[in-house]
Amino acid sequence: MSKTTTILKRLGVAVLWGMVLTGFVVLLVAAIQDKDAGKCKSIQVKFEGKDDNFFIESKDIKSLITKDKNLNPIGKSIADINIAELESVVDQDPWVKNAEIYFDNGQQLNIKVTQREPVARVFTFSGNSFYLDGAGEHIPVSSRYAARVPVFTGFPTDAEKLQKPDSLLAAQIVDMGIYIGNDPFWMAQVEQLMITDDRRFEFIPKLGDQVIAFGEGIDIEKKFTKLLAFYKEGLNKVGWNNYTRINIAFENEVVCTRKDGVVPLQPVIKTDSLKLADADEPPIADSEDSTTAAPATAKPVHTEPAKPVAKPVHAAKEKAKPQKEKVKKAKAAAPAKQQPKAVYKPGNKSVNTSKKQKTP
């Protein structure tokens, strides 16, 4: 009798657990079916990104899927809504990098949007403007918000599909925009960069009125490091208003064009401050400045000017005047007058001048 009772008890417990599990499964299936049979009640949009200033708003995203009656999920059965199709529609917006859509337990459609982040604003020859993001994708300008990014002017084309030379130029713009945007000093100093006809970059800094010739958009960190060292160890000693042009495009040197033609005292620029290659390596000189270097002294070095280049303003006047015919021929053959230049080479106390001057 005891064995029968034990068996019946065990059987009753097993039946009871079976009923519990069956009820749980039934409730779960019913809940799923109820959710699928439910209707979409509302739409909520959430933005993700490090910038609080968004170029698009929630109403813009909602409008993308509600303006089409066939796509509008409001009031439709959740089982009949194509989530993948809605994501594809939202992803087509040029300001949207990625969109994720899902339903919560309250039958609310949630749209999580990751926005594209511009790194540069570009103006073309025709005056049109667009942004470039970190992947080089074109982003239209927003009427609501202007991104604080470096501005580049003189881009040679308005086409969205770029040819190889324009694509390489756009890639350099992206690299420069990212570097400047990540450096607070250069972001404050460099407001606008100009693209020249030979696809190089120039800019006028906020501090100083010189044109900075950057060259191609390569070796960006090295060039800006060299320019910063020249600011600290060069311009702070010889003055910020002595030059009209500073060229940092060359390896291991900074080429400066003076305003008044007077050679300033040579500032010492240490090699370790520039973080460049060995100072003994011959610098790459411009064709305009390919003259022999002279040692720096307390006074400017003056050598006799090469013909037919006109003399600098401060050169000594000639005692004997040439004949009129020779003067006319010399003027006709002489190239356009340009300001003398000083070439500073890191780790080497020397100065090159583009116009050699006669010792007074």
Side-chain angles (χ1 to χ4, degrees):
M1 187 70 179
S2 59
K3 291 184 178 180
T4 304
T5 303
T6 303
I7 294 173
L8 291 175
K9 287 182 179 180
R10 290 179 179 177
L11 182 61
V13 171
V15 172
L16 182 61
W17 276 110
M19 292 176 63
V20 171
L21 291 175
T22 303
F24 178 77
V25 172
V26 170
L27 291 175
L28 181 61
V29 172
I32 295 174
Q33 290 178 348
D34 181 66
K35 182 178 179 181
D36 290 340
K39 296 182 179 180
C40 178
K41 296 179 180 179
S42 62
I43 300 174
Q44 182 177 0
V45 179
K46 298 179 181 179
F47 290 97
E48 290 192 344
K50 62 182 180 180
D51 195 347
D52 294 333
N53 297 309
F54 297 104
F55 292 84
I56 47 179
E57 299 178 353
S58 297
K59 62 180 182 180
D60 300 321
I61 300 298
K62 292 179 181 179
S63 177
L64 292 173
I65 60 178
T66 58
K67 63 182 179 181
D68 189 341
K69 294 182 179 180
N70 295 326
L71 290 176
N72 189 355
I74 301 297
K76 286 186 178 180
S77 173
I78 294 178
D80 296 332
I81 297 174
N82 189 335
I83 299 296
E85 184 179 8
L86 295 180
E87 287 182 347
S88 177
V89 171
V90 177
D91 283 337
Q92 290 178 4
D93 187 276
W95 276 109
V96 175
K97 183 177 181 180
N98 184 50
E100 295 181 8
I101 299 178
Y102 59 92
F103 280 99
D104 58 20
N105 292 330
Q107 284 77 47
Q108 178 176 256
L109 182 70
N110 292 270
I111 305 177
K112 187 169 64 175
V113 175
T114 303
Q115 184 182 237
R116 293 188 183 276
E117 297 178 0
V119 298
R121 184 168 182 177
V122 181
F123 285 85
T124 65
F125 281 140
S126 60
N128 293 326
S129 176
F130 57 88
Y131 291 103
L132 288 175
D133 68 358
E137 297 291 335
H138 283 223
I139 307 173
V141 176
S142 173
S143 59
R144 296 188 182 94
Y145 172 69
R148 188 175 180 271
V149 293
V151 176
F152 295 79
T153 60
F155 194 73
T157 179
D158 290 310
E160 292 187 8
K161 188 176 181 180
L162 302 178
Q163 300 296 324
K164 186 176 180 179
D166 298 326
S167 181
L168 293 175
L169 182 61
Q172 293 180 0
I173 291 174
V174 170
D175 292 341
M176 292 186 68
I178 293 175
Y179 182 85
I180 295 172
N182 290 334
D183 191 302
F185 174 79
W186 292 120
M187 191 62 195
Q189 180 73 338
V190 182
E191 184 175 19
Q192 176 178 322
L193 298 99
M194 298 162 284
I195 303 172
T196 62
D197 293 339
D198 54 355
R199 298 174 183 272
R200 287 168 170 77
F201 299 93
E202 295 180 350
F203 64 90
I204 299 176
K206 289 185 178 179
L207 179 60
D209 59 353
Q210 306 89 3
V211 174
I212 308 297
F214 192 88
E216 295 182 357
I218 56 176
D219 297 328
I220 299 171
E221 182 177 2
K222 180 185 289 187
K223 290 179 182 178
F224 275 116
T225 301
K226 179 168 58 176
L227 179 59
L228 181 60
F230 183 72
Y231 279 168
K232 294 178 179 179
E233 303 176 28
L235 295 187
N236 283 342
K237 295 182 179 181
V238 301
W240 285 73
N241 297 319
N242 290 330
Y243 303 108
T244 59
R245 188 177 181 86
I246 299 174
N247 195 327
I248 60 174
F250 304 119
E251 181 75 16
N252 258 14
E253 66 182 19
V254 178
V255 182
C256 303
T257 303
R258 299 182 300 277
K259 286 184 178 180
D260 53 11
V262 177
V263 182
L265 292 177
Q266 171 64 26
V268 178
I269 303 181
K270 300 177 182 179
T271 304
D272 57 348
S273 297
L274 302 183
K275 299 179 181 179
L276 297 175
D278 188 0
D280 294 332
E281 180 182 352
I284 302 174
D286 191 355
S287 59
E288 295 179 334
D289 307 294
S290 57
T291 56
T292 304
T297 60
K299 294 183 180 181
V301 178
H302 301 283
T303 56
E304 187 174 353
K307 295 181 182 181
V309 179
K311 287 185 176 182
V313 177
H314 61 278
K317 295 183 179 179
E318 294 181 349
K319 296 182 180 180
K321 296 184 178 180
Q323 297 179 0
K324 293 183 178 181
E325 293 183 358
K326 292 184 178 180
V327 173
K328 292 181 180 180
K329 291 181 179 180
K331 289 182 178 180
K337 186 176 180 180
Q338 63 180 8
Q339 295 293 342
K341 296 182 179 180
V343 179
Y344 298 109
K345 294 177 287 186
N348 188 356
K349 298 181 180 181
S350 62
V351 59
N352 290 349
T353 56
S354 61
K355 295 184 179 181
K356 296 183 180 180
Q357 302 164 4
K358 186 175 180 181
T359 304

